Amino acid sequence: MRLLLALLVLAASQPWARAESHWCYETQAKAFNNCLAPAQWGGDCQKDHQSPINIVTTKAQLNKNLGPFSFSGYDEKQKWTVQNNGHSVMVLLGDKATIAGGGLASQYRAKQLHLHWSSVLDAGSEHSLNGDQFAMEMHIVHEKENKKEAQDPKDEFAVLAFLVEAGSKNDGFQPLVEALSAIPRPTMNTTMQESISLLDLLPEEEKLRHYFRYLGSLTTPGCEEKVIWTVFEEPIQLHKDQILAFSEKLYYDREQKLKMTDNIRPLQHRGQRLVFKSQAPGRLLALTLPALLVPTLTYLMAGFL
């Protein structure tokens, strides 16, 4: 009987292990046929509160508690470490930058940023607005600082999502674009040749007052449903050549046979979840304001629990 139980446990654990170790995007699954495409991802990936979603802007509910963010350390320039992790390009942010305000119930510390893209300029974002995709999407991933003991926290991570469209050249992004040539293959790392700040990558601060908010998940396995999503309405502009550099210079595989592109998870069903939009009059909060503003997580979660 013990042997039978052990075998059953082993059999049940294999799909999870495969999803975590060998998951991939649709373009990889078609090329290699040796990894699990998004429809087969394990973990929490088949649950009901997943990301990304299509945001219908006219249906988003106004929430007056969703005011301006307070960005601390976002103006500090550094030569960031950049890596090809086999699924995206990731910038390691250390632990110096934080966000507060924006209807968040706590302060969150920035850990990393990464991007999703396509060689097709209207098919590279994970989230969409009114059914329209963008050329790319950048995620700045933050982790909650004041964690309270809870079996199933819905707000462990706060991800700031920025849509990217083709436009004029973005000098702030250029050090990251230039670093791509040094990390074509998975597990490769490099350091930017020029110091930049997080604010150098973002739209003007005044334009960050307008955003959408919903509760969802990570967009890669195990797709844990522990994310407060903020999707900003104002897109980042990059030149077409800057956008295409991501598809041209990076590869999914060590042999450099498959270019890294279309690294996006398909849209997920919104279901009964509520999507909110901000109302943030006036200028953004100064960087030195206290971290905590009016907690609204309970209000935001009311439609889910």
Side-chain angles (χ1 to χ4, degrees), residues 269-290:
H269 294 293
R270 180 175 61 85
Q272 299 301 312
R273 284 179 289 176
L274 299 176
V275 177
F276 299 94
K277 60 183 177 182
S278 66
Q279 176 174 312
R283 298 185 60 84
L284 280 175
L285 298 180
L287 298 178
T288 56
L289 284 182

Side-chain angles (χ1 to χ4, degrees), residues 17 28 33 36 40 71 73 116 131 156 175 212 218 220 237 239 247 250 262 280 285 291:
Q28 295 172 272
N33 197 31
L36 297 181
Q40 301 170 296
F71 298 97
H116 303 267
E156 183 175 344
F212 302 94
L218 300 175
T220 57
Q237 285 200 0
H239 189 272
S247 295
L250 301 175
D262 298 312
L285 298 180

Side-chain angles (χ1 to χ4, degrees), residues 88-93 111-115 138-141 173 176 198 201:
S88 178
V89 57
M90 181 179 292
V91 180
L92 305 180
L93 300 178
K111 296 297 183 178
Q112 51 99 343
L113 71 80
H114 62 271
L115 296 103
M138 181 175 74
H139 295 159
I140 306 181
V141 181
F173 250 86
L176 173 56
L198 287 174
L201 303 177

Side-chain angles (χ1 to χ4, degrees), residues 6 17 51 79 115 124 150 153 184-185 198 203 212 219 228 248:
S51 299
K79 293 181 179 179
L115 296 103
R185 298 183 297 278
L198 287 174
F212 302 94
T219 64
I228 298 180
E248 294 170 352

Side-chain angles (χ1 to χ4, degrees), residues 11 21-22 24 31 33 58 86 88 97 121 128 130 192 209 220 222-223 232 241 244 247 251 253 255 288 293 302:
S21 302
H22 303 288
C24 63
N33 197 31
T58 57
S88 178
L121 297 182
S128 60
N130 302 318
M192 290 184 189
R209 296 180 298 138
T220 57
C223 307
F232 289 90
D241 292 342
L244 295 179
S247 295
Y251 291 83
D253 59 312
E255 294 76 23
T288 56
L293 292 184

Side-chain angles (χ1 to χ4, degrees), residues 55 63 66 69 101-104 160 211-215 228-231 274-278 296 300:
I55 295 174
N63 182 347
L66 298 182
F69 281 91
L104 300 176
L160 305 185
Y211 56 86
F212 302 94
R213 169 68 50 76
Y214 78 100
L215 291 179
I228 298 180
W229 280 95
T230 302
V231 181
L274 299 176
V275 177
F276 299 94
K277 60 183 177 182
S278 66
T296 60
L300 288 172

